[in-house]
Amino acid sequence: MKIITNTLGVGNYKHINYEDANTVVVVNAKNPTIGLLRIEEGEDEVEAVKSYLAQITLGCNYRYEIVKKIGNTYFCN
């Protein structure tokens, strides 16, 4: 899994290659962070999303879980 970008701290989207992303992760409904991931063929998609969620909460005393999947978009809280 490769993180293309996430909206946490990103101020400019002009130079992001969106075409590389094949999975979208929307985290936290109140103040959303949107992650664009590239998950390689043969890689477990759910495990890759869980790995991304673990990375963005590293050092925090909480964790996010997958709530719903629609198409290639995961909604997490």
Side-chain angles (χ1 to χ4, degrees):
M1 181 259 310
K2 176 182 176 187
I3 300 172
I4 304 300
T5 190
N6 66 46
T7 58
L8 190 63
V10 174
N12 188 336
Y13 291 107
K14 290 182 180 180
H15 303 290
I16 296 171
N17 190 359
Y18 298 102
E19 289 77 26
D20 286 348
N22 59 8
T23 305
V24 178
V25 182
V26 180
V27 180
N28 190 356
K30 187 174 181 180
N31 295 309
T33 296
I34 300 170
L36 301 175
L37 310 179
R38 173 71 187 175
I39 299 175
E40 299 301 327
E41 194 172 320
E43 188 176 2
D44 186 307
E45 192 172 284
V46 172
E47 289 303 315
V49 170
K50 287 180 179 179
S51 173
Y52 167 75
L53 294 173
Q55 288 179 47
I56 65 171
T57 57
L58 193 63
C60 299
N61 61 353
Y62 58 90
R63 64 186 184 110
Y64 293 109
E65 295 180 355
I66 298 169
V67 176
K68 179 100 175 158
K69 177 187 178 196
I70 301 173
N72 67 338
T73 303
Y74 288 82
F75 297 89
C76 308
N77 254 347

